[in-house]
Amino acid sequence: MAAYLLKRLLLIIPTLFGIMLINFVIIQFAPGGPIEQVIAELSGTSAGATSSVGGGSGDGLGSGGQAGGLDNAAGDTSSKYRGAQGLDPEFIKELEVQFGFDKPAHERFLLMVYNYLTFNFGTSYFQDHKPILELIQDKLPVSMTLGLCMLLISYFISIPLGIRKAVSDGSRFDVWTSGALVIGYALPGFMVGVFLLVVFAGGSFYQIFPIGKLSSDGAEQLSLISWILDRAWHITLPLFAMIIGAFTTLTFLTKNSFIDEIRKQYVLTARSKGLTENSVLYGHIFRNAMLIIIAGFPGAFVSAFFTGSLLIEVIFSLDGLGLLGFESVIKRDYPVVFATLYIFTLLGLVVHLITDFIYTLVDPRIDFESREV
């Protein structure tokens, strides 16, 4: 197992490098860029859909002054950027230096990789030039609260429910719960969020739940129980919108995994020895059936903290990592985009590694070293 873990640790480096390289190359062809954002602010127009001639400046961490093949022999650097005609070329050059556009693409990428290896993510382009780690630290409590609550509730409900459905496969309970789960899965989380916002958060009907933050003003003065209740009151709507479709996949996965194990020979042998149904179910079947559940944990973990909460945070105006990533893409704040991509990719790879280790704890018969990585 040690040799396998070492191989996986070493594979993290080229995997991260490849992911960052692919995304960096894609960004080179994306329309718009930080300089266009500044120009649009100066001219009073939106830069969200601004495109540069030949894709010259729509890249991460600047474009190094490349004009996508545009002939710039006259030295008018402003001609590379739509909306910059007539501006002082020296001003445009200063912007290029400020955003790192004065370096070739390969130099910018290698510098980014070197900085990221030391977790030096730099500062944001547009959010008061705050250090990116400080930005993430400020937004993390919101996403952690929603993500952890969603994971805990979904796992603590879906696994017992899946086991119950497997034991009573084909019963009325199984049929009705399956129908409810499918309906919940078919409802998009953002649509549920909009509905809850309109009905229960003062949109058009009732003002029952607050939005925009996770706690009331002065909540730090409350007792522990009051603080927990206050926090639960604030996260009820966004958490419900996030979790309504989260039960289905995990519940059916648990059910099918247990049904598959129940039909195996070792279960019949255990029953023939006179063991109770609970002893067979939780003493023999549970360990083997849970392997596939553990395998899906890394994706659920990363999704709960970032992708799963993006639209929900936008809808309910919660200042978390999902909203930070969304706004960074819209504003072309590429240092924040790449830093969050790097952090969550690294986190996902590490969680996958931990999952393999948990595999061996759940079932010691698994030997990863016997297969190629």
Side-chain angles (χ1 to χ4, degrees), residues 136-362:
I136 293 176
Q137 183 179 356
D138 292 341
K139 316 295 183 183
L140 190 59
V142 173
S143 296
M144 281 189 64
T145 300
L146 292 175
L148 285 176
C149 289
M150 189 187 79
L151 277 178
L152 291 176
I153 293 175
S154 62
Y155 271 76
F156 276 106
I157 292 180
S158 296
I159 292 177
L161 180 60
I163 296 174
R164 179 71 177 85
K165 288 172 63 65
V167 173
S168 58
D169 183 37
S171 66
R172 293 181 63 182
F173 172 81
D174 180 42
V175 173
W176 282 102
T177 53
S178 295
L181 289 170
V182 170
I183 292 175
Y185 185 75
L187 296 174
F190 72 92
M191 289 186 62
V192 175
V194 171
F195 172 79
L196 296 175
L197 189 67
V198 171
V199 177
F200 298 108
S204 298
F205 296 92
Y206 306 102
Q207 178 67 59
I208 300 176
F209 297 96
I211 61 172
K213 50 187 178 179
L214 291 185
S215 59
S216 302
D217 295 334
E220 61 276 3
Q221 306 297 330
L222 300 174
S223 64
L224 178 60
I225 295 178
S226 299
W227 181 86
I228 294 175
L229 292 176
D230 179 76
R231 183 62 64 96
W233 179 46
H234 280 77
I235 68 173
T236 295
L237 295 187
L239 186 59
F240 186 84
M242 288 176 61
I243 208 171
I244 188 171
F247 298 112
T248 306
T249 301
L250 185 58
T251 300
F252 281 116
L253 190 63
T254 304
K255 174 191 173 182
N256 294 334
S257 180
F258 270 80
I259 288 178
D260 185 59
E261 293 296 326
I262 288 173
R263 295 169 178 171
K264 291 185 178 179
Q265 183 64 40
Y266 75 88
V267 176
L268 297 177
T269 303
R271 287 172 175 167
S272 66
K273 291 181 178 180
L275 296 179
T276 64
E277 192 64 27
N278 283 339
S279 297
V280 174
L281 188 63
Y282 295 103
H284 293 75
I285 298 175
F286 185 83
R287 184 177 66 180
N288 296 325
M290 286 300 296
L291 290 175
I292 194 170
I293 310 301
I294 295 173
F297 180 78
F301 181 85
V302 176
S303 175
F305 280 90
F306 187 63
T307 57
S309 62
L310 191 154
L311 288 177
I312 302 302
E313 290 181 7
V314 173
I315 292 171
F316 290 96
S317 302
L318 296 174
D319 196 12
L321 293 176
L323 184 60
L324 173 65
F326 175 78
E327 291 180 343
S328 300
V329 172
I330 296 299
K331 295 178 180 178
R332 304 299 195 268
D333 199 346
Y334 292 122
V336 178
V337 173
F338 278 100
T340 52
L341 173 66
Y342 177 86
I343 291 173
F344 281 97
T345 301
L346 179 61
L347 180 63
L349 293 173
V350 172
V351 172
H352 271 287
L353 188 62
I354 295 174
T355 300
D356 288 345
F357 179 71
I358 296 176
Y359 259 134
T360 62
L361 295 180
V362 175

Side-chain angles (χ1 to χ4, degrees), residues 24 61 100 102-114:
F24 186 86
L61 307 180
D102 58 322
K103 300 181 179 65
H106 67 280
E107 289 186 13
R108 295 193 315 278
F109 177 73
L110 294 177
L111 179 61
M112 181 183 71
V113 170
Y114 173 78

